[in-house]
């Protein structure tokens, strides 16, 4: 890593906000501080992503525990993802909600960009789901309520997430859900719509499959897909090939297996979210008022 002086003399690749931030928690509470790797004791590896590794770390002075995501610039440049990463970091940095993983700040050296993230002790929701096969209705409703609240906050800030799925959700030490990955998110300037087809195959909304303009309602669709996967252990439109998955999404070819047994109220919520006409999907407010969510969510865990 370059020394702190070198970092200060360099123009940061993203922007200067890590140096000016006064809104961050104790990890960055010294205000104008420029971070470097020497400010952290690096602990065990937490995981490996497409473009780098994540480590448990402790800020030396405050002892504040964080996760450091180390991303290799070469990889980002090679895949032309520089702007996407910049957008992801700016969006996540500006979101502060109990169900959104905090990005406290970042720094870089010649080879690496390091993100200082909130540590999510429980790890990926995906891993828990694969381990248990499917979740109870209480657990699923609690996660759906948490996520709906987080998405309502994001939408208020004009951010569409566009890639909700179990792999992008982490759990903290109390099991509270955190949206962790904003790689496909976008901040809309006004009531405009977007055209880019993005996200993950099984979770794509019909308007994205058709490459039509889309808006916030794509996140409501993915909440329906997620709710189904949490309860049944598989996504609703799974098929042998991409073409078949797309065909099933376009037809909204939705069926509910007899096993595991799932309540009619849960199926009702899913059916009201997996609606082809995006204007007819339940709103986030209506999800939070839906009887299945109201009766099953453990609100102290949301
Ligand atoms: P990513 O590069 O974001 O895909 O992260 C790779 C893996 O590291 C994830 O699948 C998680 O298991 C783990 N991980 C990422 N961020 C955190 C975090 N903030 N706290 C705990 N584990 C994390």
């Amino acid at each position: 890593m370059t020394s702190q002086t070198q970092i200060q003399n360099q123009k940061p690749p993203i922007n200067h906000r890590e140096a000016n931030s006064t809104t961050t928690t104790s990890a960055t509470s010294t205000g104008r501080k420029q971070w470097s790797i020497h400010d952290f004791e690096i602990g065990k590896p937490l995981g490996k992503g497409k473009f780098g590794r994540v480590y448990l770390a402790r800020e030396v002075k405050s002892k504040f525990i964080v996760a450091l995501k180390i991303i290799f610039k070469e990889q980002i440049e090679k895949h032309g993802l520089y702007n996407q990463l910049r957008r992801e970091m700016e969006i996540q940095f500006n979101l502060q909600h109990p169900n959104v993983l905090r990005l406290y700040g970042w720094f870089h050296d010649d080879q690496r960009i390091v993100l200082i993230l909130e540590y999510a002790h429980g790890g990926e929701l995906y891993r828990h789901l694969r381990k248990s096969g499917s979740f109870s209705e209480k657990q699923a409703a609690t996660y759906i309520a948490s996520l709906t609240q987080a998405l309502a906050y994001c939408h208020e800030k004009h951010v569409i997430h566009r890639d909700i799925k179990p792999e992008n959700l982490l759990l903290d030490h109390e099991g509270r859900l955190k949206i962790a990955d904003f790689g496909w998110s976008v901040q809309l300037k006004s009531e405009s719509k977007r055209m880019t087809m993005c996200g993950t195959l099984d979770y794509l909304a019909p308007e994205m499959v058709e490459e039509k303009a889309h808006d916030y309602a794509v996140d409501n669709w993915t909440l329906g897909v997620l709710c189904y996967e949490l309860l049944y252990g598989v996504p609703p439109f799974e098929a042998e090939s991409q073409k078949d998955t797309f065909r099933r999404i376009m037809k909204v070819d939705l069926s509910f297996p007899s096993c595991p047994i799932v309540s009619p109220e849960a199926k009702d919520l899913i059916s009201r979210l997996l609606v082809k006409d995006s204007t007819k999907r339940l709103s986030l407010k209506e999800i939070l008022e839906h009887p299945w969510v109201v009766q099953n969510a453990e609100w102290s865990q949301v």
Side-chain angles (χ1 to χ4, degrees):
M1 283 276 166
T2 52
S3 73
Q4 194 156 319
T5 325
Q6 279 171 300
I7 286 170
Q8 279 167 344
N9 291 340
Q10 278 179 335
K11 194 171 181 297
I14 310 295
N15 63 29
H16 294 268
R17 236 186 287 137
E18 77 273 38
N20 297 329
S21 172
T22 50
T23 55
T24 48
T25 67
S26 53
T28 53
S29 60
T30 43
R32 294 191 169 268
K33 183 170 174 54
Q34 291 272 8
W35 294 107
S36 89
I37 203 69
H38 306 298
D39 293 311
F40 299 90
E41 289 162 357
I42 311 288
K44 65 172 183 180
L46 295 171
K48 191 171 173 292
K50 248 186 257 155
F51 302 109
R53 287 173 192 273
V54 183
Y55 295 91
L56 184 64
R58 184 163 63 181
E59 203 265 314
V60 175
K61 271 197 199 142
S62 66
K63 308 277 182 231
F64 193 79
I65 298 288
V66 294
L68 291 184
K69 189 189 270 196
I70 302 183
I71 300 166
F72 289 92
K73 288 180 177 177
E74 195 192 344
Q75 290 291 311
I76 296 299
E77 273 155 27
K78 193 167 120 194
H79 291 89
L81 291 174
Y82 192 80
N83 284 336
Q84 186 177 326
L85 178 64
R86 188 214 303 257
R87 189 169 64 191
E88 174 179 354
M89 289 163 66
E90 288 189 347
I91 288 176
Q92 194 171 355
F93 184 86
N94 284 307
L95 295 174
Q96 289 181 38
H97 186 275
N99 301 111
V100 174
L101 194 84
R102 285 292 309 277
L103 170 61
Y104 297 122
W106 56 79
F107 54 91
H108 75 109
D109 66 8
D110 293 342
Q111 290 165 17
R112 292 166 280 204
I113 299 168
V114 182
L115 309 191
I116 311 167
L117 290 162
E118 177 181 356
Y119 171 49
H121 187 268
E124 272 184 28
L125 182 67
Y126 180 79
R127 193 169 49 82
H128 293 272
L129 182 59
R130 286 294 155 262
K131 210 167 137 198
S132 53
S134 60
F135 291 142
S136 70
E137 299 211 11
K138 284 205 174 306
Q139 253 180 318
T142 306
Y143 293 139
I144 292 296
S146 305
L147 194 52
T148 306
Q149 288 189 348
L151 287 172
Y153 169 81
C154 292
H155 290 186
E156 250 170 53
K157 297 226 160 207
H158 310 290
V159 171
I160 320 180
H161 187 277
R162 306 200 294 186
D163 197 18
I164 292 297
K165 58 177 174 175
E167 294 89 326
N168 287 343
L169 303 171
L170 296 178
L171 300 177
D172 73 3
H173 61 290
E174 293 175 324
R176 188 163 280 117
L177 179 139
K178 309 265 176 181
I179 304 180
D181 191 316
F182 285 81
W184 282 116
S185 59
V186 66
Q187 191 147 29
L188 291 185
K189 295 250 161 14
S190 58
E191 291 304 299
S192 61
K193 292 201 171 199
R194 303 295 294 195
M195 292 301 293
T196 317
M197 179 162 159
C198 56
T200 303
L201 196 72
D202 279 304
Y203 278 73
L204 284 184
E207 58 269 32
M208 277 203 176
V209 173
E210 281 187 309
E211 297 186 52
K212 282 186 182 163
H214 60 263
D215 61 10
Y216 300 97
V218 294
D219 285 343
N220 303 38
W221 172 275
T222 55
L223 271 170
V225 178
L226 182 77
C227 189
Y228 188 107
E229 184 165 359
L230 297 183
L231 292 168
Y232 289 100
V234 287
F237 305 115
E238 203 175 45
E240 292 278 307
S241 68
Q242 171 173 324
K243 207 171 135 219
D244 287 343
T245 301
F246 282 178
R247 193 182 41 77
R248 292 195 64 197
I249 292 171
M250 292 310 299
K251 276 175 45 193
V252 193
D253 180 14
L254 179 64
S255 61
F256 297 106
S258 51
C259 185
I261 294 170
V262 168
S263 69
E265 293 80 15
K267 292 178 193 169
D268 179 78
L269 175 69
I270 294 167
S271 308
R272 287 169 191 268
L273 288 168
L274 299 180
V275 174
K276 190 163 177 187
D277 181 347
S278 65
T279 63
K280 300 217 162 74
R281 287 173 205 151
L282 281 192
S283 68
L284 297 178
K285 185 168 172 285
E286 287 167 328
I287 298 173
L288 291 170
E289 289 167 359
H290 190 279
W292 180 73
V293 174
V294 172
Q295 283 157 27
N296 286 285
E298 291 180 45
W299 293 97
S300 60
Q301 280 289 309
V302 169

